[in-house]
């Protein structure tokens, strides 16, 4: 019995779960978060005045967001190559429709981000300050998926648009930095589109309008879907000529 | 294009639904105007910042009301506030004065008083300190002629005279913290309650100064409430205050002045006497904030729990291989993977719970300072609460204890109950608690050449552990002291106390800090013939800050009154 998944997604996930490289990536991810979790526990936090003023649980969540967003998009862009995983152009030669391919890459991104978030749950529990803070932590974890997945969908389209590995990596990192760093200089209230701001707002519950900031990310996911769909169609059109 | 449409729909739902969800439940309680209040801060409007001050509300309600009056004093550099709560019972149309201790730290922001009924605020008032009413200290004066004492204070002085009625005398000794002296010129015994007298007595015993104005013909000393203060033989102070008599009272003093300072024709000599009497300095407290620096910085989880957490994380890393492998084996494999993840999560939950219980710690240094010739001890406790961010911490307190935060923290003190600390601001919060406890332990020292004899009378019903005599900055342990003990100390057994720098652990550091304070002669009062101290641990836990963890050690410091010649 198999899970009713998009065939592209199923193939991607099977390749990733079987990959020794991905296993080491996951170990690195869990180890990095684990070290931070251990050192976030009081009383270490109270020893350093700067840390005492910082919400360490929030710091952990922001650190985790960086990992989830990068790993999801790097796997999609092929920056972390996975044996057997097919890119958009590899799939274009198959009989799958362009929409199935686009949807498959989208689901792969969503499930990969969700899986990374799920793997962090035992570690997040260690840094969750108290039961009262649990809703905020859950909101922050949940919001990481819609923040990381759109970036990964666009990243999945990059191999079709940028053939050069080096250039693709540059473009991928540029998008990543633009999203995480450049948005920090946006004026209020636009600064809220910064993913770290969104996670912090989801964790703290303020400003209450933070869900509005997810709009551009949903639009980015839709854009990524369209780009993949068009890239496959264009490639097939060109192949027929 | 079904997927983008689905996302667009989901986006609309998120955009519209989530803000609505977050907006629900923020309804603030509306104040009902059925209760009025007249608010008074400090004494006669004078306020000393950063010390306990009375905040009095005269409440009048249109109906019977049982609730809680809360005073919230904001912190100057943050949105945190220290709240003190007291229960109130109001009868319809009967005014009721409620006094709540508050530490006013931000002089620009108003104090907020809230009346809470059934957990819901029903009325709120704000009271600010008027300009020019912030002073360094206050001299409380009870007189039927409330004028004239001000001229005796130096012009540059930031000490002010507050003329008050007997009703305004505090019922807690801590509320005298900003008071330099209490001058009693006229007093109606019937208007002073035993609780007020007890608080006054406790404050004087702890170092306060009570001044009785007894000009010829005055019958003030016949007042029953004041006679108790004149038990010990008086001493004549040095000129020019010579006509005054000083009766030692614990660490404090009761000065009887036979000159009426309120007379318009006060002589220059009389004024000089009064200036001298009013300028008496309050003895420095034994326990001050340096104790906080001497305490260990943190508690923390035990090594075993830390090891278990690290081992669990290691096990989780190992479990990642089966977890990913099983996930490829269809639905059953996914269920197995989720079960494994659930097991690791459950272990993390258990470890986090144990660790947080251990790490939510109170590191407390508590010293009970025995007051000479009084069967009382002033307990001062400085504590550092280590708690997780966002967590709360509850300390139990006795009725007479007041606890305040020393830094930025949201605190809520229920008088006679508990203190709740909110850890939103920081992982480590410093608190201070003070109380007077009954402790009939007294001692004396007799020095004859090199021979030193100590007598201890312990009627507290609790044994003193590891007693040490501190004399001239050196220490000598003595045998366990019973109810009545007379110990001769060996001249060759005196040694220097251990320095604070090498002490480890709460007990050792508290002891080393105390020896350091006593060596500096910090609490020796010139009006009392104290040359030595007995330092011992009280067997029974009586620290004023208590919590569910292990009891805090309470160090007792008893002054030994000198008898005979000193070397």
């Amino acid at each position: 019995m198999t899970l009713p998944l998009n065939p592209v997604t199923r193939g991607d996930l099977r390749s990733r779960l079987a990959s020794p490289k991905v296993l080491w990536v996951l170990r690195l991810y869990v180890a990095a978060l684990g070290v931070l979790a251990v050192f976030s526990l009081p009383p270490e936090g109270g020893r350093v005045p700067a840390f005492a003023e910082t919400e360490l649980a929030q710091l952990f969540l922001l650190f985790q967001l960086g990992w989830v967003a990068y790993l999801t998009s790097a796997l999609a862009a092929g920056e972390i190559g996975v044996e057997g995983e097919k890119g958009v152009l590899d799939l274009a030669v198959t009989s799958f429709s362009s929409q199935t391919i686009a949807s498959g890459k989208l689901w792969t991104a969503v499930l990969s981000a969700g899986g990374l978030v799920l793997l962090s749950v035992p570690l997040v529990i260690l840094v969750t300050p108290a039961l009262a803070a649990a809703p905020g932590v859950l909101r922050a974890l949940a919001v990481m998926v819609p923040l990381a997945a759109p970036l990964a969908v666009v990243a999945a389209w990059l191999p079709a648009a940028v053939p050069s590995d080096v250039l693709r990596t540059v473009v991928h990192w540029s998008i990543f930095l633009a999203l995480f760093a450049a948005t920090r200089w946006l004026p209020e209230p636009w600064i809220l589109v910064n993913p770290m701001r969104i996670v912090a707002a989801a964790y703290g519950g303020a400003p209450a309008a933070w869900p509005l900031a997810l709009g551009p990310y949903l639009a980015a996911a839709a854009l990524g879907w369209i780009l993949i769909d068009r890239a496959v169609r264009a490639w097939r059109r060109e192949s027929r000529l | 294009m079904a997927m983008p449409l689905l996302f667009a729909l989901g986006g609309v739902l998120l955009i519209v639904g989530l803000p609505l969800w977050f907006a629900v439940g923020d309804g603030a309680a509306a104040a009902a105007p059925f209760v009025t209040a007249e608010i008074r801060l400090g004494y006669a409007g004078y306020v000393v910042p950063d010390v306990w001050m009375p905040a009095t509300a005269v409440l009048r309600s249109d109906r019977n009301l049982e609730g809680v009056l809360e005073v919230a004093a904001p912190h100057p550099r943050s949105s945190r506030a220290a709240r003190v709560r007291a229960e109130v019972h109001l009868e319809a149309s009967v005014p009721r004065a409620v006094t709540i201790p508050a530490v006013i730290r931000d002089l620009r922001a108003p104090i907020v008083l809230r009346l809470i009924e059934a957990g819901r605020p029903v009325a709120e008032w704000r009271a600010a300190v008027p300009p020019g009413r912030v002073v360094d200290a206050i001299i409380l004066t009870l007189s039927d002629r409330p004028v004239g004492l001000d001229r005796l204070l130096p012009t540059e002085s930031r000490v002010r005279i507050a003329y008050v009625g007997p009703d305004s005398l505090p019922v807690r000794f801590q509320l005298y913290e900003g008071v330099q002296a209490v001058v009693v010129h006229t007093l109606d015994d019937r208007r002073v309650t035993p609780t007020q007298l007890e608080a006054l007595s406790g404050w004087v015993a702890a170092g306060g100064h009570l001044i009785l104005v007894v000009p010829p013909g005055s019958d003030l000393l016949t007042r029953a409430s004041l006679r108790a203060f004149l038990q010990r033989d008086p001493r004549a102070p040095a000129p020019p205050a010579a006509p005054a008599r000083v009766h030692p009272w614990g660490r404090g003093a009761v000065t009887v002045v036979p000159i009426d300072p309120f007379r318009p024709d006060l002589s220059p000599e009389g004024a000089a006497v009064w200036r001298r009497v009013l300028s008496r300095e309050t003895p420095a407290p034994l326990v001050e904030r340096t104790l906080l620096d001497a305490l260990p910085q943190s508690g923390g989880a035990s090594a075993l729990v830390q090891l278990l957490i690290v081992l669990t994380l290691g096990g989780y890393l190992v479990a990642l291989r089966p977890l990913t492998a099983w996930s490829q084996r269809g639905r059953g494999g996914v269920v197995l993977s989720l079960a494994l993840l659930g097991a690791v999560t459950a272990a993390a939950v258990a470890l986090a719970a144990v660790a947080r219980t251990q790490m939510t710690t109170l590191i407390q240094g508590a010293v009970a300072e025995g007051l000479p010739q009084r069967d009382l001890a002033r307990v001062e406790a400085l504590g550092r609460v280590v708690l997780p961010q966002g967590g709360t911490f509850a300390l139990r307190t006795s009725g007479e204890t007041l606890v305040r935060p020393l830094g930025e923290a949201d605190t809520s003190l229920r008088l006679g109950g508990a203190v709740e600390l909110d850890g939103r601001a920081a992982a480590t919060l410093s608190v201070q608690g003070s109380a007077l406890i009954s402790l009939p332990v007294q001692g004396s020292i007799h020095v004859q050449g090199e021979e030193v004899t100590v007598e201890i009378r312990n009627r507290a019903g609790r044994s003193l552990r590891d007693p040490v005599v501190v004399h001239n900055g050196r220490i000598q342990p003595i045998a366990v002291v019973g109810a009545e003990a007379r110990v001769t100390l060996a001249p060759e057994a005196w040694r220097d106390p251990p320095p604070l720098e090498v002490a480890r652990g709460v007990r050792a550091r508290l002891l080393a800090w105390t020896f350091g304070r006593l060596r500096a002669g910090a609490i020796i009062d010139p009006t009392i013939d104290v040359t030595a101290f007995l330092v011992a641990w009280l067997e029974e836990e009586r620290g004023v800050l208590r919590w569910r963890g292990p009891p805090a050690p309470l160090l007792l410091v008893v002054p030994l009154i000198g008898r005979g010649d000193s070397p």
Side-chain angles (χ1 to χ4, degrees), chain B residues 309-338:
Chain B
I309 288 175
V310 171
L311 286 178
T312 305
L313 291 178
Y316 187 34
L317 284 175
V318 173
L320 283 175
R321 179 188 282 275
L323 208 143
T324 50
W326 293 344
S327 299
Q328 303 169 56
R329 295 180 192 163
R331 188 167 291 178
V334 171
V335 170
L336 264 178
S337 295
L338 288 175

mmCIF file of all heavy atoms in Angstrom, chain B residues 309-338:
data_model
loop_
_atom_site.group_PDB
_atom_site.id
_atom_site.type_symbol
_atom_site.label_atom_id
_atom_site.label_comp_id
_atom_site.label_asym_id
_atom_site.label_seq_id
_atom_site.Cartn_x
_atom_site.Cartn_y
_atom_site.Cartn_z
ATOM 1 N N ILE B 309 19.752 14.578 28.836
ATOM 2 C CA ILE B 309 19.327 15.377 27.675
ATOM 3 C C ILE B 309 20.293 15.165 26.506
ATOM 4 O O ILE B 309 19.886 14.932 25.367
ATOM 5 C CB ILE B 309 19.239 16.871 28.054
ATOM 6 C CG1 ILE B 309 18.029 17.106 28.961
ATOM 7 C CG2 ILE B 309 19.122 17.746 26.810
ATOM 8 C CD1 ILE B 309 17.913 18.509 29.500
ATOM 9 N N VAL B 310 21.588 15.211 26.815
ATOM 10 C CA VAL B 310 22.591 15.028 25.755
ATOM 11 C C VAL B 310 22.487 13.623 25.170
ATOM 12 O O VAL B 310 22.536 13.430 23.942
ATOM 13 C CB VAL B 310 24.005 15.311 26.307
ATOM 14 C CG1 VAL B 310 25.067 14.922 25.293
ATOM 15 C CG2 VAL B 310 24.142 16.784 26.662
ATOM 16 N N LEU B 311 22.288 12.614 26.048
ATOM 17 C CA LEU B 311 22.171 11.235 25.554
ATOM 18 C C LEU B 311 20.926 11.080 24.684
ATOM 19 O O LEU B 311 20.942 10.380 23.671
ATOM 20 C CB LEU B 311 22.109 10.260 26.736
ATOM 21 C CG LEU B 311 23.435 10.029 27.465
ATOM 22 C CD1 LEU B 311 23.242 9.094 28.652
ATOM 23 C CD2 LEU B 311 24.477 9.428 26.503
ATOM 24 N N THR B 312 19.832 11.731 25.086
ATOM 25 C CA THR B 312 18.601 11.655 24.287
ATOM 26 C C THR B 312 18.815 12.275 22.913
ATOM 27 O O THR B 312 18.363 11.728 21.897
ATOM 28 C CB THR B 312 17.453 12.373 25.021
ATOM 29 O OG1 THR B 312 17.329 11.807 26.314
ATOM 30 C CG2 THR B 312 16.138 12.228 24.278
ATOM 31 N N LEU B 313 19.517 13.415 22.898
ATOM 32 C CA LEU B 313 19.800 14.040 21.603
ATOM 33 C C LEU B 313 20.693 13.147 20.745
ATOM 34 O O LEU B 313 20.503 13.021 19.533
ATOM 35 C CB LEU B 313 20.453 15.409 21.818
ATOM 36 C CG LEU B 313 19.542 16.482 22.404
ATOM 37 C CD1 LEU B 313 20.300 17.781 22.622
ATOM 38 C CD2 LEU B 313 18.352 16.725 21.493
ATOM 39 N N GLY B 314 21.661 12.506 21.389
ATOM 40 C CA GLY B 314 22.524 11.563 20.668
ATOM 41 C C GLY B 314 21.715 10.403 20.114
ATOM 42 O O GLY B 314 21.878 9.995 18.955
ATOM 43 N N GLY B 315 20.827 9.869 20.949
ATOM 44 C CA GLY B 315 19.958 8.769 20.513
ATOM 45 C C GLY B 315 19.067 9.188 19.361
ATOM 46 O O GLY B 315 18.814 8.409 18.428
ATOM 47 N N TYR B 316 18.636 10.442 19.403
ATOM 48 C CA TYR B 316 17.781 10.938 18.322
ATOM 49 C C TYR B 316 18.552 10.988 17.005
ATOM 50 O O TYR B 316 18.026 10.627 15.939
ATOM 51 C CB TYR B 316 17.265 12.324 18.715
ATOM 52 C CG TYR B 316 16.232 12.904 17.775
ATOM 53 C CD1 TYR B 316 15.305 12.090 17.116
ATOM 54 C CD2 TYR B 316 16.175 14.273 17.540
ATOM 55 C CE1 TYR B 316 14.361 12.627 16.268
ATOM 56 C CE2 TYR B 316 15.226 14.819 16.683
ATOM 57 C CZ TYR B 316 14.332 13.983 16.047
ATOM 58 O OH TYR B 316 13.393 14.508 15.201
ATOM 59 N N LEU B 317 19.805 11.409 17.099
ATOM 60 C CA LEU B 317 20.630 11.439 15.882
ATOM 61 C C LEU B 317 20.778 10.039 15.286
ATOM 62 O O LEU B 317 20.709 9.853 14.072
ATOM 63 C CB LEU B 317 22.019 12.012 16.204
ATOM 64 C CG LEU B 317 22.099 13.529 16.400
ATOM 65 C CD1 LEU B 317 23.486 13.936 16.838
ATOM 66 C CD2 LEU B 317 21.741 14.241 15.104
ATOM 67 N N VAL B 318 20.987 9.054 16.178
ATOM 68 C CA VAL B 318 21.116 7.664 15.714
ATOM 69 C C VAL B 318 19.792 7.191 15.112
ATOM 70 O O VAL B 318 19.751 6.471 14.108
ATOM 71 C CB VAL B 318 21.550 6.756 16.888
ATOM 72 C CG1 VAL B 318 21.520 5.284 16.485
ATOM 73 C CG2 VAL B 318 22.940 7.159 17.364
ATOM 74 N N ALA B 319 18.663 7.629 15.733
ATOM 75 C CA ALA B 319 17.344 7.162 15.299
ATOM 76 C C ALA B 319 16.931 7.748 13.960
ATOM 77 O O ALA B 319 15.937 7.310 13.383
ATOM 78 C CB ALA B 319 16.306 7.519 16.365
ATOM 79 N N LEU B 320 17.680 8.766 13.475
ATOM 80 C CA LEU B 320 17.290 9.374 12.201
ATOM 81 C C LEU B 320 17.370 8.369 11.044
ATOM 82 O O LEU B 320 16.587 8.435 10.105
ATOM 83 C CB LEU B 320 18.192 10.579 11.900
ATOM 84 C CG LEU B 320 17.878 11.851 12.694
ATOM 85 C CD1 LEU B 320 18.908 12.933 12.402
ATOM 86 C CD2 LEU B 320 16.494 12.381 12.347
ATOM 87 N N ARG B 321 18.320 7.434 11.130
ATOM 88 C CA ARG B 321 18.454 6.462 10.029
ATOM 89 C C ARG B 321 17.214 5.565 9.936
ATOM 90 O O ARG B 321 16.592 5.515 8.865
ATOM 91 C CB ARG B 321 19.720 5.616 10.192
ATOM 92 C CG ARG B 321 19.877 4.585 9.099
ATOM 93 C CD ARG B 321 21.022 3.648 9.400
ATOM 94 N NE ARG B 321 22.324 4.250 9.107
ATOM 95 C CZ ARG B 321 22.890 4.234 7.900
ATOM 96 N NH1 ARG B 321 22.270 3.656 6.893
ATOM 97 N NH2 ARG B 321 24.059 4.787 7.699
ATOM 98 N N PRO B 322 16.834 4.842 11.032
ATOM 99 C CA PRO B 322 15.598 4.057 10.916
ATOM 100 C C PRO B 322 14.374 4.921 10.612
ATOM 101 O O PRO B 322 13.462 4.488 9.910
ATOM 102 C CB PRO B 322 15.476 3.369 12.280
ATOM 103 C CG PRO B 322 16.383 4.084 13.189
ATOM 104 C CD PRO B 322 17.467 4.664 12.340
ATOM 105 N N LEU B 323 14.402 6.139 11.125
ATOM 106 C CA LEU B 323 13.241 7.007 10.913
ATOM 107 C C LEU B 323 13.047 7.299 9.422
ATOM 108 O O LEU B 323 11.933 7.222 8.892
ATOM 109 C CB LEU B 323 13.462 8.304 11.691
ATOM 110 C CG LEU B 323 12.230 9.042 12.168
ATOM 111 C CD1 LEU B 323 12.487 9.666 13.537
ATOM 112 C CD2 LEU B 323 11.872 10.136 11.200
ATOM 113 N N THR B 324 14.152 7.598 8.742
ATOM 114 C CA THR B 324 14.034 7.878 7.302
ATOM 115 C C THR B 324 13.827 6.585 6.514
ATOM 116 O O THR B 324 13.102 6.573 5.511
ATOM 117 C CB THR B 324 15.297 8.588 6.789
ATOM 118 O OG1 THR B 324 16.440 7.857 7.217
ATOM 119 C CG2 THR B 324 15.382 10.010 7.307
ATOM 120 N N ALA B 325 14.450 5.498 6.984
ATOM 121 C CA ALA B 325 14.318 4.229 6.260
ATOM 122 C C ALA B 325 12.874 3.720 6.336
ATOM 123 O O ALA B 325 12.303 3.289 5.330
ATOM 124 C CB ALA B 325 15.283 3.197 6.848
ATOM 125 N N TRP B 326 12.306 3.769 7.518
ATOM 126 C CA TRP B 326 10.928 3.270 7.668
ATOM 127 C C TRP B 326 9.933 4.111 6.875
ATOM 128 O O TRP B 326 8.909 3.610 6.425
ATOM 129 C CB TRP B 326 10.517 3.271 9.143
ATOM 130 C CG TRP B 326 11.289 2.279 9.979
ATOM 131 C CD1 TRP B 326 12.029 1.235 9.518
ATOM 132 C CD2 TRP B 326 11.398 2.270 11.395
ATOM 133 N NE1 TRP B 326 12.599 0.556 10.561
ATOM 134 C CE2 TRP B 326 12.233 1.171 11.737
ATOM 135 C CE3 TRP B 326 10.898 3.049 12.418
ATOM 136 C CZ2 TRP B 326 12.544 0.860 13.041
ATOM 137 C CZ3 TRP B 326 11.200 2.732 13.723
ATOM 138 C CH2 TRP B 326 12.029 1.659 14.038
ATOM 139 N N SER B 327 10.236 5.401 6.728
ATOM 140 C CA SER B 327 9.298 6.287 6.031
ATOM 141 C C SER B 327 9.102 5.898 4.579
ATOM 142 O O SER B 327 8.136 6.298 3.945
ATOM 143 C CB SER B 327 9.801 7.722 6.082
ATOM 144 O OG SER B 327 9.903 8.141 7.419
ATOM 145 N N GLN B 328 10.052 5.089 4.042
ATOM 146 C CA GLN B 328 9.924 4.692 2.634
ATOM 147 C C GLN B 328 9.070 3.446 2.467
ATOM 148 O O GLN B 328 8.809 3.028 1.350
ATOM 149 C CB GLN B 328 11.316 4.397 2.045
ATOM 150 C CG GLN B 328 12.283 5.563 2.167
ATOM 151 C CD GLN B 328 13.693 5.138 1.835
ATOM 152 O OE1 GLN B 328 13.963 4.618 0.759
ATOM 153 N NE2 GLN B 328 14.616 5.338 2.760
ATOM 154 N N ARG B 329 8.667 2.840 3.596
ATOM 155 C CA ARG B 329 7.978 1.547 3.505
ATOM 156 C C ARG B 329 6.461 1.701 3.596
ATOM 157 O O ARG B 329 5.808 1.024 4.378
ATOM 158 C CB ARG B 329 8.468 0.626 4.618
ATOM 159 C CG ARG B 329 9.936 0.282 4.458
ATOM 160 C CD ARG B 329 10.386 -0.613 5.570
ATOM 161 N NE ARG B 329 11.842 -0.737 5.603
ATOM 162 C CZ ARG B 329 12.520 -1.188 6.636
ATOM 163 N NH1 ARG B 329 11.878 -1.576 7.736
ATOM 164 N NH2 ARG B 329 13.822 -1.277 6.590
ATOM 165 N N GLY B 330 5.924 2.615 2.890
ATOM 166 C CA GLY B 330 4.475 2.747 2.834
ATOM 167 C C GLY B 330 3.877 3.288 4.121
ATOM 168 O O GLY B 330 4.576 3.840 4.988
ATOM 169 N N ARG B 331 2.566 3.130 4.227
ATOM 170 C CA ARG B 331 1.838 3.732 5.347
ATOM 171 C C ARG B 331 2.293 3.169 6.697
ATOM 172 O O ARG B 331 2.461 3.901 7.665
ATOM 173 C CB ARG B 331 0.349 3.482 5.155
ATOM 174 C CG ARG B 331 -0.508 4.215 6.150
ATOM 175 C CD ARG B 331 -1.944 4.198 5.754
ATOM 176 N NE ARG B 331 -2.189 5.003 4.569
ATOM 177 C CZ ARG B 331 -3.379 5.130 3.983
ATOM 178 N NH1 ARG B 331 -4.419 4.483 4.457
ATOM 179 N NH2 ARG B 331 -3.526 5.885 2.921
ATOM 180 N N GLY B 332 2.515 1.824 6.721
ATOM 181 C CA GLY B 332 2.967 1.205 7.973
ATOM 182 C C GLY B 332 4.292 1.775 8.432
ATOM 183 O O GLY B 332 4.506 2.049 9.622
ATOM 184 N N GLY B 333 5.187 1.972 7.470
ATOM 185 C CA GLY B 333 6.494 2.534 7.792
ATOM 186 C C GLY B 333 6.386 3.949 8.313
ATOM 187 O O GLY B 333 7.078 4.332 9.266
ATOM 188 N N VAL B 334 5.493 4.723 7.689
ATOM 189 C CA VAL B 334 5.303 6.108 8.140
ATOM 190 C C VAL B 334 4.770 6.134 9.570
ATOM 191 O O VAL B 334 5.214 6.928 10.408
ATOM 192 C CB VAL B 334 4.342 6.847 7.173
ATOM 193 C CG1 VAL B 334 3.956 8.201 7.748
ATOM 194 C CG2 VAL B 334 4.994 7.022 5.808
ATOM 195 N N VAL B 335 3.831 5.193 9.841
ATOM 196 C CA VAL B 335 3.270 5.115 11.203
ATOM 197 C C VAL B 335 4.383 4.769 12.199
ATOM 198 O O VAL B 335 4.486 5.356 13.277
ATOM 199 C CB VAL B 335 2.123 4.086 11.263
ATOM 200 C CG1 VAL B 335 1.711 3.816 12.703
ATOM 201 C CG2 VAL B 335 0.938 4.583 10.457
ATOM 202 N N LEU B 336 5.251 3.815 11.796
ATOM 203 C CA LEU B 336 6.373 3.433 12.670
ATOM 204 C C LEU B 336 7.303 4.624 12.915
ATOM 205 O O LEU B 336 7.747 4.878 14.045
ATOM 206 C CB LEU B 336 7.164 2.305 12.017
ATOM 207 C CG LEU B 336 6.822 0.878 12.444
ATOM 208 C CD1 LEU B 336 7.683 -0.098 11.661
ATOM 209 C CD2 LEU B 336 7.038 0.684 13.934
ATOM 210 N N SER B 337 7.575 5.358 11.845
ATOM 211 C CA SER B 337 8.454 6.536 11.968
ATOM 212 C C SER B 337 7.845 7.560 12.907
ATOM 213 O O SER B 337 8.534 8.134 13.766
ATOM 214 C CB SER B 337 8.668 7.186 10.600
ATOM 215 O OG SER B 337 9.351 6.304 9.765
ATOM 216 N N LEU B 338 6.537 7.792 12.717
ATOM 217 C CA LEU B 338 5.861 8.756 13.582
ATOM 218 C C LEU B 338 5.874 8.295 15.037
ATOM 219 O O LEU B 338 6.006 9.095 15.964
ATOM 220 C CB LEU B 338 4.426 8.996 13.100
ATOM 221 C CG LEU B 338 4.303 9.806 11.798
ATOM 222 C CD1 LEU B 338 2.854 9.888 11.353
ATOM 223 C CD2 LEU B 338 4.873 11.211 11.967
#
